[in-house]
Amino acid sequence: MSEPMRLSARVTAPLKAVHHALTDPGELRVWLAEHAEVELPHRYAFWGRHTPDGAAPHQRPLHVDDHTLRFSWLLGGEETTVEISLEEESAESTIVTLTQTHFDQESAMTEGGVLGTLQTFWCLSIANLVDHLEGRGLTPKADFTSPIMREQLVIGGSPEAVFDSLVDPEKFSRWFGYKVDLEPYVGGRFAMGGFEANDTPAKVVALEPGRGLSLEWPGLGVSSWELEDSGGATRLTFVESGFDEKNPPYAGWMGWLSGIAELRRFHELSDWRPIWLDASIPGSPEQTEVSG
């Protein structure tokens, strides 16, 4: 069996508050799932349209203490194990580390199964946990019951500034947490990992300064960022289109949404630093393929 998937992030909140957000059903329904029920040590369950294979709960608690939560999660016929550990960095800062067994990287790249969604599901969920505990608005969650992939949110920066961070490769790489090369013109290339490392780059199919950017991924569809002024801030509409609606690319969708969560912080926090403590922010299957 491969090594468990691992994510680690910093949240500016006391350890006790983070633990409460992980184990209180009302808190879980804010940042994680549509439905949640918790009566530890006997029950720990979450499900609904924002959860992979979420028609019914499939979790079972294994262990809980002041620093650790461990539970089993039946997914795709596999009994996986999730462990979330908390480390107090300071009185107001906590390191959250999550591992899960049975993550399937090949499924993530091909959007071929529920196990392939786990990395980006947790990446987006942890990003929302951090923003929830720090008193910020959340990034939209994926809806596993719908083939429509269109989300809106407001970023505290001008459309010109947000656009610049989408087309400047150095800035894009900073907030996304992974090297990106980009030729900022229609017909140009966009490559995760850089042009030298990626022989199947996306193609820029639309670009309008201050208004938006669209990338076409070979055989996968189009990702579009549409920007509008909103009282000095930016209303961002993010859309995925052109994909196989019988097999929506939820893993990639959640990867982009978790990246957009960092894009918001990049523009809104004067002392911004990435929440992720790993070498890079886990992103879409395109990124996983390059970095794997």
Side-chain angles (χ1 to χ4, degrees):
M1 184 184 299
S2 62
E3 289 294 315
M5 175 196 71
R6 183 180 185 277
L7 302 171
S8 188
R10 174 184 289 109
V11 54
T12 305
L15 187 148
K16 186 175 181 179
V18 181
H19 189 276
H20 179 70
L22 292 170
T23 56
D24 179 82
E27 293 281 283
L28 291 172
R29 288 191 287 268
V30 173
W31 66 269
L32 179 63
E34 184 179 16
H35 308 293
E37 292 180 359
V38 179
E39 291 184 14
L40 292 169
H42 307 293
R43 182 163 174 76
Y44 187 86
F46 56 88
W47 70 100
R49 60 195 176 99
H50 305 308
T51 302
D53 195 16
H58 298 293
Q59 300 85 20
R60 176 172 55 88
L62 301 175
H63 174 78
V64 62
D65 59 31
D66 291 344
H67 293 80
T68 308
L69 170 66
R70 187 183 311 118
F71 59 91
S72 67
W73 186 0
L74 183 65
L75 286 166
E78 298 281 357
E79 189 81 11
T80 75
T81 300
V82 179
E83 180 169 304
I84 306 174
S85 62
L86 307 180
E87 177 187 350
E88 185 175 70
E89 186 178 43
S90 70
E92 296 297 327
S93 180
T94 304
I95 304 302
V96 179
T97 300
L98 180 144
T99 63
Q100 183 164 6
T101 63
H102 295 79
F103 169 64
D104 189 333
Q105 181 171 301
E106 182 177 353
S107 291
M109 292 187 290
T110 62
E111 298 283 353
V114 67
L115 295 176
T117 67
L118 297 179
Q119 186 180 41
T120 53
F121 167 75
W122 282 119
C123 192
L124 177 57
S125 297
I126 291 172
N128 274 333
L129 170 65
V130 170
D131 282 335
H132 172 58
L133 286 166
E134 294 181 358
R136 298 166 46 77
L138 304 190
T139 300
K141 307 176 185 73
D143 184 346
F144 288 92
T145 68
S146 173
I148 298 173
M149 296 188 171
R150 179 185 180 90
E151 299 291 354
Q152 283 192 337
L153 67 159
V154 175
I155 298 176
S158 70
E160 293 75 18
V162 174
F163 178 81
D164 183 56
S165 62
L166 293 175
V167 299
D168 182 314
E170 188 275 331
K171 290 180 181 177
F172 198 115
S173 300
R174 285 184 65 205
W175 63 261
F176 196 65
Y178 194 75
K179 178 178 171 59
V180 166
D181 276 341
L182 168 66
E183 295 169 336
Y185 52 83
V186 173
R189 297 172 297 166
F190 177 97
M192 296 289 190
F195 294 137
E196 298 81 5
N198 188 338
D199 58 4
T200 57
K203 180 181 179 181
V204 178
V205 292
L207 185 150
E208 185 176 354
R211 297 295 299 276
L213 169 72
S214 294
L215 304 173
E216 182 175 16
W217 303 93
L220 295 175
V222 177
S223 303
S224 298
W225 292 259
E226 302 168 2
L227 312 177
E228 296 179 80
D229 182 75
S230 180
T234 299
R235 183 175 301 280
L236 168 65
T237 303
F238 183 75
V239 183
E240 292 271 12
S241 60
F243 53 84
D244 179 3
E245 292 193 3
K246 295 181 180 179
N247 186 32
Y250 293 117
W253 179 241
M254 291 183 293
W256 281 122
L257 288 175
S258 65
I260 289 171
E262 198 68 53
L263 175 64
R264 290 175 56 231
R265 289 187 286 265
F266 179 77
H267 283 279
E268 295 175 358
L269 300 179
S270 59
D271 58 347
W272 173 81
R273 61 177 174 176
I275 65 170
W276 303 104
L277 302 180
D278 299 302
S280 64
I281 299 173
S284 64
E286 292 89 351
Q287 176 180 329
T288 305
E289 184 174 9
V290 172
S291 62

